[in-house]
């Protein structure tokens, strides 16, 4: 019974949590001093290297930062394997039901590389046609790039955090299925927001749907015995960080990141502190 409750929770928790985060926390983060510093730094890069050069620097630096964060995270999660992963795996394995297992195996395939390749190709072609009178090359480059960036960054982490895999599958840290779903559909959502004037409620609804999809993908990866629980948690964190990098890269290439506008009496935003 608990397994089905957790399945329902994988839908309900993000459906409730994301609107709260989007309403209360995101506006504060957007107006924070750290966000202003980032805008100033990106504006300096853009002035020196142009949009394309600045976007490339942001992408490469962001990938390095994600590896720097997720490498020690993976090592820490590996230590939980005996106390967390094995008990969860044994609990699920002992209570697997064939019909529910078949449903989970079908749903979890959403995160496989093959179907997402086709989603990426179709979306790229569609956005190129819509963007034909503007910087049409951005979606043409962004969508395939997010796929490649996720694959190779995930492989770097899988090699550096050599933690093994469940006895039933070769899935390892971090869960690539969760990250691929988040990267692919998250990039599509951002390009859609840049293409059409989506109202605030619509953006929150899209973010909520994306979070539910990624949460369900994580649940199915565990039930289908493709990943340890901590692989899935790591995949969620890894995917979220990498999506942030890809989104920022797209916004820089599109010229949407501008330095903050301050009043004459406001203190300037400094990139470094003085002694």
């Amino acid at each position: 019974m608990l397994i089905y409750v957790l399945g329902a929770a994988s839908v309900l928790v993000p459906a409730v949590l994301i609107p709260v985060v989007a309403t209360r926390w995101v506006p504060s983060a957007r107006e924070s001093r750290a966000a202003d510093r980032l805008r100033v730094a990106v504006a300096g890069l853009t002035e020196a290297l142009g949009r394309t050069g600045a976007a490339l620097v942001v992408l490469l630096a962001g990938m390095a930062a994600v590896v720097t964060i997720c490498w020690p995270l993976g090592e820490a999660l590996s230590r939980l394997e005996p106390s967390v992963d094995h008990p969860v795996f044994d609990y699920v394995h002992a209570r697997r039901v064939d019909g529910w297992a078949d449903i989970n195996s079908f749903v979890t395939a959403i995160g496989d590389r093959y179907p997402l390749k086709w989603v990426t190709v179709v979306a790229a072609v569609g956005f190129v046609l819509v963007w034909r009178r503007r910087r049409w090359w951005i979606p043409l480059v962004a969508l395939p790039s997010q796929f490649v960036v996720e694959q190779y960054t995930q492989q770097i982490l899988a090699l550096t955090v050599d933690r093994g895999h469940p006895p039933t599958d070769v899935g390892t840290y971090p869960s690539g299925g969760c990250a691929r779903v988040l990267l692919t559909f998250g990039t599509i959502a951002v390009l859609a927001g840049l293409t059409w004037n989506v109202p605030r409620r619509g953006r929150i609804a899209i973010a909520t749907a994306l979070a539910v999809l990624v949460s369900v993908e994580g649940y199915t990866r565990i039930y289908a015995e493709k990943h340890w629980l901590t692989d899935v948690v790591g995949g969620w964190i890894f995917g979220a960080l990498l999506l942030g990098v890809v989104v920022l890269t797209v916004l820089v290439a599109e010229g949407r990141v501008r330095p903050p506008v301050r009043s004459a009496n406001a203190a300037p935003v400094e990139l470094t502190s003085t002694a």
Side-chain angles (χ1 to χ4, degrees):
M1 186 66 179
L2 178 59
I3 290 177
Y4 304 108
V5 172
L6 292 175
S10 69
V11 175
L12 296 176
V13 171
V16 173
L17 182 62
I18 296 303
V20 174
V21 171
T23 303
R24 297 184 180 181
W25 296 351
V26 171
S28 299
R30 187 179 298 164
E31 300 301 324
S32 67
R33 191 170 181 81
D36 283 349
R37 288 174 181 266
L38 179 62
R39 294 187 186 101
V40 171
V42 169
L45 276 175
T46 304
E47 183 177 355
L49 304 175
R51 291 184 188 178
T52 304
L56 182 59
V57 170
V58 167
L59 179 62
L60 295 177
M63 291 171 60
V66 170
V67 172
T68 301
I69 294 170
C70 292
W71 184 352
L73 174 64
E75 298 292 349
L77 291 175
S78 295
R79 298 179 182 179
L80 299 177
E81 185 176 324
S83 59
V84 174
D85 290 324
H86 285 281
V88 170
F89 179 89
D90 293 340
Y91 180 87
V92 172
H93 186 75
R95 291 162 178 80
R96 278 170 58 88
V97 177
D98 289 341
W100 189 236
D102 291 340
I103 293 173
N104 278 266
S105 296
F106 176 79
V107 173
T108 202
I110 296 173
D112 291 345
R113 286 194 172 92
Y114 182 76
L116 287 179
K117 282 181 181 178
W118 284 106
V119 172
T120 299
V121 170
V122 171
V125 172
F127 279 113
V128 166
L129 294 176
V130 175
W131 284 41
R132 61 186 181 277
R133 295 185 179 179
R134 53 196 293 190
R135 296 167 69 88
W136 56 269
W137 58 268
I138 291 179
L140 183 62
V141 173
L143 279 162
S145 293
Q146 62 80 23
F147 196 90
V148 174
V149 163
E150 185 282 325
Q151 179 177 353
Y152 287 101
T153 309
Q154 192 267 346
Q155 287 182 356
I156 290 171
L157 289 170
L159 292 173
T160 53
V161 184
D162 186 14
R163 60 163 304 176
H165 51 79
T168 51
D169 203 275
V170 295
T172 187
Y173 169 90
S175 171
C178 294
R180 282 190 293 272
V181 169
L182 187 52
L183 262 292
T184 300
F185 291 104
T187 304
I188 291 173
V190 170
L191 291 171
L194 293 174
T195 305
W196 298 286
N197 185 22
V198 182
R200 185 169 179 271
R201 289 186 178 180
R203 294 195 301 270
I204 293 176
I206 292 173
T208 302
L210 177 61
V212 169
L213 182 61
V214 174
S215 178
V216 169
E217 176 67 16
Y219 173 84
T220 59
R221 291 271 154 170
I222 295 170
Y223 195 88
E225 299 182 337
K226 290 181 175 292
H227 279 289
W228 300 121
L229 170 62
T230 54
D231 290 340
V232 170
V233 173
W236 286 337
I237 297 172
F238 165 69
L241 292 174
L242 204 55
L243 177 61
V245 172
V246 171
V247 170
L248 181 59
T249 301
V250 171
L251 294 178
V252 171
E254 177 66 2
R256 298 297 184 103
V257 182
R258 300 181 179 90
V261 178
R262 298 292 183 184
S263 64
N265 297 325
V269 178
E270 299 178 357
L271 293 177
T272 57
S273 58
T274 55

